[in-house]
Amino acid sequence: MTSRRSIPIVFPQRRSALAAFRTEGARLSLFVPTTVPAAIEEPVTLSVTFGDCPNWFELTGKVRWRRDSARGMSQGAGLGVEFEGTEKLPLAAMVAFCAGRPLEAGTAGKSRYQVRIPCRIRALDRTVEGEITDLSESGVYVAAKIRVKPGLDLKLQLDPKWLGLGGDWVEMKVVWVGDKVGKAGFGARFSGATASFLPAIKKYLPG
């Protein structure tokens, strides 16, 4: 398994991230401001935050080019990172967010459904209550009062019964953190093979 260098990225504003995004046919890329000396073709994980809002996104991709020093006032040092396959989905969600569109508009590969499913989150040696407010075959948005960061692995219990009995547990990875439809929480993707979580969520999906 190839290890990934983790790089924190701060865009001054959401519109700065929009300006750094490029699409050429099926290829999606992002120029990120950083002085981290990542190598060309190196796989990286980007923890992206913004100076004008508290939302976080985690993106995984591969370095395709590098600018080591600033070129004038508008061209600072940084990395050109390209995204392939399912790596495009969190990036598309971030671009939708920065453009002021619903996050699901950036991840149209999987239909998302508005739901209200009670859940229990097990993370950081804590277990807290929450509510899944949208659901797809790839991930969820969870409204909850818990401080998590993109990249965190956690477990989610769907519709727990009295005293926490019943309800399927699924493994998740946090992709972004912030408000959605006026509720604080986080977006997460299912981890592992589809067979490990699809049976647990199928009854909540239409059809």
Side-chain angles (χ1 to χ4, degrees):
M1 182 176 177
T2 305
S3 61
R4 290 181 180 269
R5 183 195 298 261
S6 181
I7 306 175
I9 301 295
V10 181
F11 284 104
Q13 301 170 323
R14 283 167 282 183
R15 65 182 182 182
S16 304
L18 281 179
F21 171 69
R22 294 288 183 272
T23 176
E24 297 179 22
R27 299 173 63 182
L28 302 183
S29 63
L30 187 71
F31 176 76
V32 295
T34 180
T35 56
V36 172
I40 304 301
E41 299 299 312
E42 180 178 350
V44 292
T45 296
L46 310 176
S47 294
V48 180
T49 58
F50 311 90
D52 60 351
C53 73
N55 290 49
W56 289 56
F57 288 83
E58 183 184 76
L59 312 176
T60 57
K62 185 176 289 186
V63 176
R64 294 301 189 191
W65 59 278
R66 187 174 67 203
R67 189 162 66 213
D68 294 321
S69 58
R71 297 179 183 175
M73 294 292 291
S74 61
Q75 292 189 322
L79 302 170
V81 180
E82 189 171 297
F83 304 84
E84 298 179 342
T86 57
E87 295 174 344
K88 297 178 182 179
L89 299 180
L91 173 63
M94 188 189 80
V95 170
F97 166 75
C98 292
R101 297 184 286 118
L103 271 76
E104 54 268 28
T107 55
K110 297 290 185 182
S111 297
R112 306 190 73 85
Y113 303 98
Q114 301 300 306
V115 295
R116 296 192 65 180
I117 305 171
C119 66
R120 183 169 282 130
I121 304 126
R122 184 175 293 165
L124 305 173
D125 297 322
R126 296 177 58 199
T127 299
V128 301
E129 307 295 324
E131 182 179 65
I132 298 171
T133 60
D134 81 41
L135 172 71
S136 77
E137 289 184 19
S138 61
V140 298
Y141 179 79
V142 180
K145 294 181 179 180
I146 183 173
R147 290 182 177 273
V148 296
K149 293 183 178 181
L152 178 69
D153 293 312
L154 53 79
K155 290 186 176 181
L156 203 65
Q157 186 182 26
L158 306 178
D159 198 14
K161 307 304 180 185
W162 181 250
L163 298 178
L165 301 175
D168 294 303
W169 286 94
V170 292
E171 295 186 352
M172 314 287 303
K173 181 181 286 290
V174 178
V175 176
W176 67 277
V177 177
D179 293 356
K180 187 172 184 180
V181 197
K183 294 183 178 181
F186 59 89
R189 294 182 62 79
F190 294 109
S191 301
T194 303
S196 68
F197 61 80
L198 189 57
I201 66 171
K202 203 166 185 179
K203 62 183 176 182
Y204 302 107
L205 298 171

